[in-house]
Amino acid sequence: MTHPAEWFHTWFDSPYYHILYKNRDAREAQRFLDNLLDHLRPKPTCKLMDLACGRGRHSVYLNQKGFDVTGLDLSEHSIAYARQFENAKLRFHVHDMREVFAPDAFEFVFNLFTSFGYFAPDYENVVALRSTAASIKPGGKLIIDFMNTRRVINRLVAKETKQIDQLTFHITRKVEAGFILKTIRFEDQGQPYEFIERVRALEYEEFLEYFRMANLRLANVFGDYQLRPFDPQQSERMIFILKK
């Protein structure tokens, strides 16, 4: 099945996306993965999926830990970049999470750093969750790391300017029709550009309903990358550990 192009097709495939977010903290991401692995304790023989893997930094780190890892992402350019790291136990594929990749193939699926809730029709987010669940072996687990939407909205920065690599990004944020919208404007060599990130403002209770519809059981929910308990008002993240 083919899907009409949406904002994430163009933005995630753009070189400017990687420029804007180039300074993400790699060490923090690795510490988070270490904490997750300590909690989940996957066996060395487990097969792991990194869903919405981008350029593969989490996939590569999980593979360095000795696991068999498959990274999936909609962005052809990101997957082309990630494939330089492939080996016998690490592979990457262009894939839309609304489609089932491989039924009952993975013990663990990781969906990290708010890589969910992109689709405009609400039902397509449920379709994506069901398709993801279909790739998990019975008894396996799905880990979804999402922003704590309530906290983000309460602390929303309406306007911001970032100077990166001779580019000046003008960023505005707002909540509209159930989505958090981030508009990114800039010029490069006299050419104006505009991209809009559009993420559904999902709160804890809405996720619980999604999980029910996908027949996933909530095992744990954590509030930050140190896996401290989730607090609806104060926690930075909603990190769901779900069991099939």
PDB file of all heavy atoms in Angstrom, residues 55-69:
ATOM      1  N   ARG A  55      19.280   7.831  10.947  1.00  0.00           N
ATOM      2  CA  ARG A  55      20.574   7.428  10.385  1.00  0.00           C
ATOM      3  C   ARG A  55      21.226   6.275  11.137  1.00  0.00           C
ATOM      4  O   ARG A  55      22.351   5.906  10.848  1.00  0.00           O
ATOM      5  CB  ARG A  55      21.519   8.627  10.351  1.00  0.00           C
ATOM      6  CG  ARG A  55      21.146   9.661   9.299  1.00  0.00           C
ATOM      7  CD  ARG A  55      22.161  10.775   9.246  1.00  0.00           C
ATOM      8  NE  ARG A  55      22.024  11.605   8.061  1.00  0.00           N
ATOM      9  CZ  ARG A  55      22.852  12.580   7.718  1.00  0.00           C
ATOM     10  NH1 ARG A  55      23.904  12.845   8.499  1.00  0.00           N
ATOM     11  NH2 ARG A  55      22.663  13.282   6.619  1.00  0.00           N
ATOM     12  N   GLY A  56      20.520   5.738  12.120  1.00  0.00           N
ATOM     13  CA  GLY A  56      20.941   4.480  12.710  1.00  0.00           C
ATOM     14  C   GLY A  56      21.812   4.541  13.944  1.00  0.00           C
ATOM     15  O   GLY A  56      22.394   3.528  14.330  1.00  0.00           O
ATOM     16  N   ARG A  57      21.889   5.690  14.611  1.00  0.00           N
ATOM     17  CA  ARG A  57      22.817   5.775  15.745  1.00  0.00           C
ATOM     18  C   ARG A  57      22.442   4.807  16.868  1.00  0.00           C
ATOM     19  O   ARG A  57      23.327   4.204  17.476  1.00  0.00           O
ATOM     20  CB  ARG A  57      22.890   7.205  16.287  1.00  0.00           C
ATOM     21  CG  ARG A  57      21.579   7.775  16.815  1.00  0.00           C
ATOM     22  CD  ARG A  57      21.791   9.137  17.431  1.00  0.00           C
ATOM     23  NE  ARG A  57      20.542   9.681  17.944  1.00  0.00           N
ATOM     24  CZ  ARG A  57      20.468  10.590  18.896  1.00  0.00           C
ATOM     25  NH1 ARG A  57      21.561  11.055  19.460  1.00  0.00           N
ATOM     26  NH2 ARG A  57      19.303  11.055  19.309  1.00  0.00           N
ATOM     27  N   HIS A  58      21.148   4.604  17.125  1.00  0.00           N
ATOM     28  CA  HIS A  58      20.757   3.671  18.181  1.00  0.00           C
ATOM     29  C   HIS A  58      20.943   2.222  17.727  1.00  0.00           C
ATOM     30  O   HIS A  58      21.367   1.367  18.511  1.00  0.00           O
ATOM     31  CB  HIS A  58      19.305   3.910  18.583  1.00  0.00           C
ATOM     32  CG  HIS A  58      19.014   5.340  18.924  1.00  0.00           C
ATOM     33  ND1 HIS A  58      18.088   6.099  18.248  1.00  0.00           N
ATOM     34  CD2 HIS A  58      19.572   6.148  19.843  1.00  0.00           C
ATOM     35  CE1 HIS A  58      18.069   7.314  18.748  1.00  0.00           C
ATOM     36  NE2 HIS A  58      18.960   7.381  19.705  1.00  0.00           N
ATOM     37  N   SER A  59      20.633   1.974  16.468  1.00  0.00           N
ATOM     38  CA  SER A  59      20.830   0.630  15.918  1.00  0.00           C
ATOM     39  C   SER A  59      22.293   0.220  16.016  1.00  0.00           C
ATOM     40  O   SER A  59      22.614  -0.911  16.415  1.00  0.00           O
ATOM     41  CB  SER A  59      20.385   0.579  14.451  1.00  0.00           C
ATOM     42  OG  SER A  59      19.045   0.929  14.295  1.00  0.00           O
ATOM     43  N   VAL A  60      23.178   1.131  15.634  1.00  0.00           N
ATOM     44  CA  VAL A  60      24.613   0.833  15.663  1.00  0.00           C
ATOM     45  C   VAL A  60      25.059   0.537  17.092  1.00  0.00           C
ATOM     46  O   VAL A  60      25.812  -0.421  17.330  1.00  0.00           O
ATOM     47  CB  VAL A  60      25.413   2.012  15.066  1.00  0.00           C
ATOM     48  CG1 VAL A  60      26.907   1.839  15.318  1.00  0.00           C
ATOM     49  CG2 VAL A  60      25.140   2.143  13.572  1.00  0.00           C
ATOM     50  N   TYR A  61      24.597   1.321  18.041  1.00  0.00           N
ATOM     51  CA  TYR A  61      25.015   1.111  19.436  1.00  0.00           C
ATOM     52  C   TYR A  61      24.489  -0.218  19.973  1.00  0.00           C
ATOM     53  O   TYR A  61      25.231  -0.962  20.637  1.00  0.00           O
ATOM     54  CB  TYR A  61      24.523   2.258  20.305  1.00  0.00           C
ATOM     55  CG  TYR A  61      25.055   2.206  21.721  1.00  0.00           C
ATOM     56  CD1 TYR A  61      26.402   2.426  21.988  1.00  0.00           C
ATOM     57  CD2 TYR A  61      24.215   1.921  22.792  1.00  0.00           C
ATOM     58  CE1 TYR A  61      26.902   2.372  23.276  1.00  0.00           C
ATOM     59  CE2 TYR A  61      24.702   1.868  24.097  1.00  0.00           C
ATOM     60  CZ  TYR A  61      26.042   2.099  24.328  1.00  0.00           C
ATOM     61  OH  TYR A  61      26.537   2.038  25.621  1.00  0.00           O
ATOM     62  N   LEU A  62      23.238  -0.542  19.661  1.00  0.00           N
ATOM     63  CA  LEU A  62      22.680  -1.827  20.100  1.00  0.00           C
ATOM     64  C   LEU A  62      23.444  -2.987  19.467  1.00  0.00           C
ATOM     65  O   LEU A  62      23.697  -4.011  20.112  1.00  0.00           O
ATOM     66  CB  LEU A  62      21.195  -1.905  19.743  1.00  0.00           C
ATOM     67  CG  LEU A  62      20.274  -0.986  20.542  1.00  0.00           C
ATOM     68  CD1 LEU A  62      18.887  -0.939  19.905  1.00  0.00           C
ATOM     69  CD2 LEU A  62      20.171  -1.436  21.999  1.00  0.00           C
ATOM     70  N   ASN A  63      23.824  -2.830  18.213  1.00  0.00           N
ATOM     71  CA  ASN A  63      24.614  -3.855  17.542  1.00  0.00           C
ATOM     72  C   ASN A  63      25.992  -3.993  18.171  1.00  0.00           C
ATOM     73  O   ASN A  63      26.522  -5.112  18.326  1.00  0.00           O
ATOM     74  CB  ASN A  63      24.721  -3.522  16.053  1.00  0.00           C
ATOM     75  CG  ASN A  63      25.615  -4.486  15.293  1.00  0.00           C
ATOM     76  OD1 ASN A  63      26.676  -4.113  14.813  1.00  0.00           O
ATOM     77  ND2 ASN A  63      25.186  -5.730  15.176  1.00  0.00           N
ATOM     78  N   GLN A  64      26.599  -2.867  18.563  1.00  0.00           N
ATOM     79  CA  GLN A  64      27.898  -2.909  19.238  1.00  0.00           C
ATOM     80  C   GLN A  64      27.812  -3.656  20.568  1.00  0.00           C
ATOM     81  O   GLN A  64      28.822  -4.193  21.044  1.00  0.00           O
ATOM     82  CB  GLN A  64      28.421  -1.489  19.453  1.00  0.00           C
ATOM     83  CG  GLN A  64      28.859  -0.804  18.172  1.00  0.00           C
ATOM     84  CD  GLN A  64      29.171   0.672  18.367  1.00  0.00           C
ATOM     85  OE1 GLN A  64      28.867   1.255  19.407  1.00  0.00           O
ATOM     86  NE2 GLN A  64      29.773   1.295  17.364  1.00  0.00           N
ATOM     87  N   LYS A  65      26.623  -3.691  21.142  1.00  0.00           N
ATOM     88  CA  LYS A  65      26.396  -4.450  22.375  1.00  0.00           C
ATOM     89  C   LYS A  65      26.245  -5.945  22.105  1.00  0.00           C
ATOM     90  O   LYS A  65      26.096  -6.733  23.034  1.00  0.00           O
ATOM     91  CB  LYS A  65      25.135  -3.930  23.080  1.00  0.00           C
ATOM     92  CG  LYS A  65      25.269  -2.520  23.643  1.00  0.00           C
ATOM     93  CD  LYS A  65      26.127  -2.512  24.886  1.00  0.00           C
ATOM     94  CE  LYS A  65      26.155  -1.174  25.568  1.00  0.00           C
ATOM     95  NZ  LYS A  65      26.967  -1.183  26.808  1.00  0.00           N
ATOM     96  N   GLY A  66      26.273  -6.319  20.832  1.00  0.00           N
ATOM     97  CA  GLY A  66      26.255  -7.722  20.465  1.00  0.00           C
ATOM     98  C   GLY A  66      24.936  -8.246  19.936  1.00  0.00           C
ATOM     99  O   GLY A  66      24.821  -9.431  19.624  1.00  0.00           O
ATOM    100  N   PHE A  67      23.933  -7.363  19.775  1.00  0.00           N
ATOM    101  CA  PHE A  67      22.607  -7.827  19.370  1.00  0.00           C
ATOM    102  C   PHE A  67      22.429  -7.805  17.852  1.00  0.00           C
ATOM    103  O   PHE A  67      23.085  -7.041  17.137  1.00  0.00           O
ATOM    104  CB  PHE A  67      21.526  -6.956  20.021  1.00  0.00           C
ATOM    105  CG  PHE A  67      21.495  -7.070  21.517  1.00  0.00           C
ATOM    106  CD1 PHE A  67      21.990  -6.046  22.306  1.00  0.00           C
ATOM    107  CD2 PHE A  67      21.001  -8.200  22.138  1.00  0.00           C
ATOM    108  CE1 PHE A  67      21.984  -6.134  23.689  1.00  0.00           C
ATOM    109  CE2 PHE A  67      20.986  -8.307  23.517  1.00  0.00           C
ATOM    110  CZ  PHE A  67      21.482  -7.277  24.300  1.00  0.00           C
ATOM    111  N   ASP A  68      21.526  -8.672  17.404  1.00  0.00           N
ATOM    112  CA  ASP A  68      21.098  -8.691  16.016  1.00  0.00           C
ATOM    113  C   ASP A  68      20.024  -7.613  15.869  1.00  0.00           C
ATOM    114  O   ASP A  68      18.966  -7.685  16.488  1.00  0.00           O
ATOM    115  CB  ASP A  68      20.533 -10.070  15.663  1.00  0.00           C
ATOM    116  CG  ASP A  68      20.199 -10.202  14.193  1.00  0.00           C
ATOM    117  OD1 ASP A  68      19.293  -9.484  13.721  1.00  0.00           O
ATOM    118  OD2 ASP A  68      20.823 -11.028  13.508  1.00  0.00           O
ATOM    119  N   VAL A  69      20.290  -6.599  15.029  1.00  0.00           N
ATOM    120  CA  VAL A  69      19.444  -5.407  14.976  1.00  0.00           C
ATOM    121  C   VAL A  69      19.007  -5.118  13.547  1.00  0.00           C
ATOM    122  O   VAL A  69      19.806  -5.191  12.609  1.00  0.00           O
ATOM    123  CB  VAL A  69      20.191  -4.167  15.533  1.00  0.00           C
ATOM    124  CG1 VAL A  69      19.277  -2.945  15.533  1.00  0.00           C
ATOM    125  CG2 VAL A  69      20.714  -4.440  16.943  1.00  0.00           C
TER     126      VAL A  69
END
